[in-house]
Amino acid sequence: MKQTFTLSSPEQSARAARSRVFTGSMAIGALLMALGAVALFNPLLVGWALSLLLMTGFGLYAGAQLWAYFQTGKEQRSPWTFIGGIVLLGFSAFSLWASFATPYGAALLIAGLANVAALFTMLQGAGQIMTFWEMRRNEIPGGGWVLASGILNAVAGVLIVLQPLLGWMAVTAAWGAYLLITGVSLMAESFSDRRGFLPGT
């Protein structure tokens, strides 16, 4: 009896581990599907939520900056730290107030976030184009894909700047579709792996 328990213990542990992996994969897949569905079918809500999160983060960072300024000795204080903290705190506070107090505040907040995303997208595109020229000079293969990606990023950034709300909605919808497909794929893969470990298969 003791020998049987010893032999079956590793198998039980393996089954328990597979069950935990399956449960975790299913939970992550469901979460990705839920996030993807929200981003795909309600991109304005996602944009507003991200904007609020970003502005709240700016406010907290500004508060930390001001706290560090007042904690530093008078002879070591930098006026730029104080000015930067005040400006950033005022900007985040005004943005949060405007998003709730005015009818178009949420749209303006999303447009601001879209312009920030467009700036980073254009910078990434410019970096990829520079990488292409480096790859071409060093005769490294695969530069065409890097150039194509850089051009697409630059064009996408310009389009978002021209139409920030529409650009944000398009990008968010694409993210939502990607997350939704990823969640479905993860859940399907988890079911497939579970069937493969069932007895008799």
Side-chain angles (χ1 to χ4, degrees):
M1 198 68 181
K2 185 176 181 180
Q3 184 178 3
T4 305
F5 175 79
T6 304
L7 291 174
S8 63
S9 180
E11 183 179 350
Q12 290 175 353
S13 299
R15 286 179 181 274
R18 286 195 294 270
S19 178
R20 286 193 297 271
V21 169
F22 174 77
T23 303
S25 298
M26 293 298 293
I28 294 172
L31 179 61
L32 289 176
M33 288 178 61
L35 291 174
V38 172
L40 181 61
F41 297 111
N42 201 341
L44 286 178
L45 175 63
V46 174
W48 185 64
L50 285 177
S51 300
L52 290 179
L53 185 64
L54 182 65
M55 292 305 163
T56 302
F58 282 161
L60 293 175
Y61 176 73
Q65 220 174 358
L66 292 173
W67 182 82
Y69 172 81
F70 287 111
Q71 290 297 315
T72 306
K74 289 184 178 181
E75 65 281 353
Q76 296 176 342
R77 290 177 180 175
S78 170
W80 295 110
T81 303
F82 179 76
I83 294 172
I86 290 294
V87 170
L88 191 57
L89 185 62
F91 171 70
S92 62
F94 175 78
S95 299
L96 291 172
W97 170 82
S99 66
F100 290 101
T102 62
Y104 303 104
L108 292 175
L109 202 58
I110 294 172
L113 180 62
N115 284 323
V116 172
L119 175 63
F120 282 107
T121 302
M122 287 189 289
L123 289 175
Q124 184 179 8
Q128 288 173 324
I129 293 172
M130 293 174 62
T131 301
F132 162 75
W133 289 113
E134 289 290 332
M135 294 175 69
R136 186 174 181 182
R137 185 166 56 240
N138 296 322
E139 299 181 353
I140 300 174
W145 291 106
V146 176
L147 177 63
S149 179
I151 293 174
L152 286 175
N153 279 326
V155 171
V158 171
L159 291 177
I160 293 174
V161 168
L162 294 176
Q163 291 290 340
L165 284 178
L166 292 178
W168 172 262
M169 291 177 67
V171 171
T172 306
W175 287 346
Y178 172 76
L179 290 174
L180 192 60
I181 293 171
T182 302
V184 171
S185 301
L186 182 60
M187 294 180 75
E189 183 181 355
S190 299
F191 272 118
S192 177
D193 291 343
R194 186 176 179 85
R195 281 200 304 269
F197 285 115
L198 289 176
T201 58

